[in-house]
Amino acid sequence: GESVGLHLPTLSVQEGDNSIINCAYSNSASDYFIWYKQESGKGPQFIIDIRSNMDKRQGQRVTVLLNKTVKHLSLQIAATQPGDSAVYFCAENLPWGNTPLVFGKGTRLSVIA
Amino acid sequence: GAVVSQHPSRVICKSGTSVKIECRSLDFQATTMFWYRQFPKQSLMLMATSNEGSKATYEQGVEKDKFLINHASLTLSTLTVTSAHPEDSSFYICSASWTGGNYGYTFGSGTRLTVV
């Protein structure tokens, strides 16, 4: 289940189940979105991205869905594995070049073996 | 490709001293680099944007005289935390934007700064 901790919400899933991590982004002008995985003490690791002209994109075991109407992004992880345990952040970017990514609050995914 | 090397990975310093963190793009030219700070159990917060050869642009609330950013070449940006205090203890992460066929971002591995 999902719970909201002091700062990061936590999602706990059984190994082998599918995970869905949600993100609300802030700027309706953003046209590029990225999901990152961050393990403790490390920098963010790219998972998958999507541009605003798409509403779905699939990778290996991961799918990103974009709903621009409600400014919502989701990351689906199929057959979740213990190695998927980490903090996941969505990030958004504005359409003009060389602007920084703006990160969402993050969700901690905890996989129960 | 598009690898960013950040070091040191960890540093402990005494209050009042300065610490320099380096961020290097290894296989591409980074005209723009971004510096983020991350406190425990929180998200990455943008501190500043640095463009090669010009002054950095700082986010509101970030003291430019305390967090000195230098981007003197297309492959190196540095962040110097001056007169460090315990409240500056945090995880600092650099990022570079690149245009390698597809516009993208790559991140360093982060620096854990502890000020004692």
Side-chain angles (χ1 to χ4, degrees):
Chain A
E2 183 173 329
S3 63
V4 178
L6 200 62
H7 295 289
L8 288 176
T10 299
L11 176 66
S12 297
V13 299
Q14 289 288 139
E15 181 180 0
D17 286 353
N18 296 333
S19 303
I20 299 177
I21 301 171
N22 297 302
C23 174
Y25 64 91
S26 59
N27 196 326
S28 57
S30 293
D31 75 336
Y32 180 52
F33 306 89
I34 311 173
W35 278 101
Y36 286 95
K37 173 185 180 183
Q38 187 181 30
E39 296 174 313
S40 181
K42 297 183 180 180
Q45 175 189 351
F46 174 92
I47 301 174
I48 192 168
D49 60 359
I50 188 168
R51 296 203 175 269
S52 59
N53 60 351
M54 303 173 69
D55 54 20
K56 180 179 180 179
R57 191 162 187 229
Q58 288 184 291
Q60 187 177 13
R61 273 203 313 123
V62 294
T63 300
V64 54
L65 299 178
L66 173 63
N67 185 332
K68 295 182 290 293
T69 304
V70 294
K71 294 191 291 185
H72 183 268
L73 203 62
S74 71
L75 175 70
Q76 300 177 2
I77 304 174
T80 313
Q81 302 168 1
D84 295 327
S85 294
V87 178
Y88 290 81
F89 294 97
C90 68
E92 60 184 298
N93 189 231
L94 292 167
W96 36 93
N98 276 348
T99 53
L101 293 175
V102 176
F103 283 81
K105 293 183 178 180
T107 297
R108 179 176 299 283
L109 176 64
S110 179
V111 180
I112 304 165
Chain B
V3 176
V4 168
S5 174
Q6 181 176 348
H7 69 92
S9 58
R10 292 176 180 269
V11 58
I12 300 173
C13 71
K14 292 184 177 180
S15 289
T17 62
S18 296
V19 173
K20 180 184 285 187
I21 302 169
E22 291 190 351
C23 185
R24 292 181 184 274
S25 58
L26 298 185
D27 51 3
F28 68 102
Q29 293 183 330
T31 54
T32 304
M33 287 191 176
F34 309 99
W35 287 93
Y36 293 84
R37 178 169 52 184
Q38 185 178 30
F39 291 108
K41 298 185 178 180
Q42 293 188 28
S43 187
L44 284 75
M45 297 300 297
L46 180 69
M47 299 176 66
T49 300
S50 77
N51 293 295
E52 184 267 337
S54 62
K55 291 184 179 180
T57 303
Y58 291 81
E59 295 300 298
Q60 191 173 10
V62 178
E63 301 174 57
K64 62 180 181 180
D65 294 331
K66 181 170 186 61
F67 299 99
L68 300 178
I69 291 173
N70 184 284
H71 194 162
S73 78
L74 286 171
T75 59
L76 175 64
S77 177
T78 61
L79 168 67
T80 301
V81 183
T82 64
S83 187
H85 289 284
E87 56 265 33
D88 298 326
S89 298
S90 188
F91 193 56
Y92 293 86
I93 307 170
C94 67
S95 172
S97 63
W98 58 284
T99 52
N102 209 7
Y103 192 81
Y105 296 84
T106 187
F107 285 82
S109 54
T111 298
R112 171 73 61 195
L113 171 63
T114 304
V115 184
V116 297

